[in-house]
Amino acid sequence: MNGVLSKDIQTVLLSREQIEKRVEEIAEAITRDYRGESVLMVGILRGAVVFFSELVKRVDLDVRFDFMVVSSYGSGTESGGEIRIVKDLSQPIEGMNVVIVEDIIDTGYTLKNLLRLLGTRNPKSLKIAALLDKPSRRKVPLEGDYVGFKVPNEFVVGYGLDYNEKYRNLPDICVLKPEVYS
Ligand code: PRP
């Protein structure tokens, strides 16, 4: 555990070993599903960075990378229904197999909007890989195609996930002490 940040952590929800094992399984599933094809993996910055880099190096396919930056119009920990594209893809995706890589599905608004937007660009296929899923927070129906773990409605940080931009570099997925964010 990171010595500087550990004082703010209540519990480790998912250890780095648990995460690594699950990331390996997801990579194997993607490798199986796209056998013989190339895949464009699209990381949604910034939260997905750690999951993205651990996932892509285990996928045994012809993989290309691209990235998007999106932000919600909501404030605080609540995503609004609309999203703003801060940085779009750097290339067309027509005819490509696209896998969107996210750290977490919460309300579902971000991915719902991204699916709609990228779907209009005529990819060959469009799927979602998300490390975490918080189904109890869903506002719009949305399911990931590859999901690492379903998690309870706790304030989780680490492995890319932040609170006020902090804690992203924690190697485990941790529950933050309530006094830190309340
Ligand atoms: C987080 C996360 C997803 C989104 C999920 O991003 O990375 O993109 O929220 O929430 P939703 O399902 O309610 O839309 P955030 O806006 O916190 O930015 P970040 O990736 O820079 O942490």
Side-chain angles (χ1 to χ4, degrees):
M1 174 63 76
N2 179 305
V4 179
L5 301 176
S6 58
K7 64 177 183 0
D8 297 342
I9 299 308
Q10 184 162 280
T11 50
V12 172
L13 184 66
L14 298 163
S15 70
R16 65 201 79 180
E17 293 83 10
Q18 284 174 287
I19 301 167
E20 186 180 352
K21 182 164 173 286
R22 192 71 189 109
V23 171
E24 183 75 47
E25 289 168 358
I26 294 172
E28 282 169 12
I30 292 173
T31 301
R32 246 190 341 265
D33 292 353
Y34 293 93
R35 172 88 46 216
E37 311 236 352
S38 60
V39 179
L40 179 72
M41 310 269 298
V42 174
I44 309 303
L45 301 175
R46 291 169 292 253
V49 162
V50 180
F51 176 47
F52 183 92
S53 45
E54 291 298 314
L55 181 65
V56 290
K57 64 190 182 189
R58 294 176 169 86
V59 174
D60 188 7
L61 294 169
D62 170 13
V63 169
R64 323 283 165 102
F65 294 179
D66 208 341
F67 299 94
M68 292 181 82
V69 179
V70 303
S71 76
S72 68
Y73 283 110
S75 61
T77 56
E78 194 79 18
S79 300
E82 297 298 313
I83 60 166
R84 186 166 60 93
I85 306 298
V86 179
K87 183 216 168 286
D88 205 337
L89 294 173
S90 48
Q91 57 191 336
I93 55 169
E94 186 164 358
M96 301 180 83
N97 295 304
V98 177
V99 176
I100 304 173
V101 181
E102 263 287 25
D103 53 341
I104 188 164
I105 312 174
D106 192 22
T107 62
Y109 286 136
T110 302
L111 281 166
K112 192 91 188 168
N113 280 289
L114 280 177
L115 283 181
R116 192 169 51 209
L117 174 69
L118 299 186
T120 64
R121 301 181 186 178
N122 301 318
K124 180 175 181 186
S125 65
L126 184 55
K127 287 193 182 183
I128 295 166
L131 181 64
L132 304 182
D133 184 4
K134 260 189 197 174
S136 62
R137 294 258 311 158
R138 203 72 94 250
K139 296 267 177 58
V140 283
L142 194 283
E143 295 242 14
D145 300 282
Y146 307 97
V147 172
F149 302 92
K150 288 202 192 311
V151 293
N153 191 16
E154 306 261 23
F155 204 120
V156 286
V157 294
Y159 209 84
L161 291 112
D162 76 309
Y163 170 61
N164 278 349
E165 295 307 321
K166 256 175 95 164
Y167 311 105
R168 293 193 196 270
N169 61 319
L170 290 175
D172 310 294
I173 292 184
C174 303
V175 177
L176 205 55
K177 284 182 181 166
E179 57 261 38
V180 176
Y181 58 87
S182 55

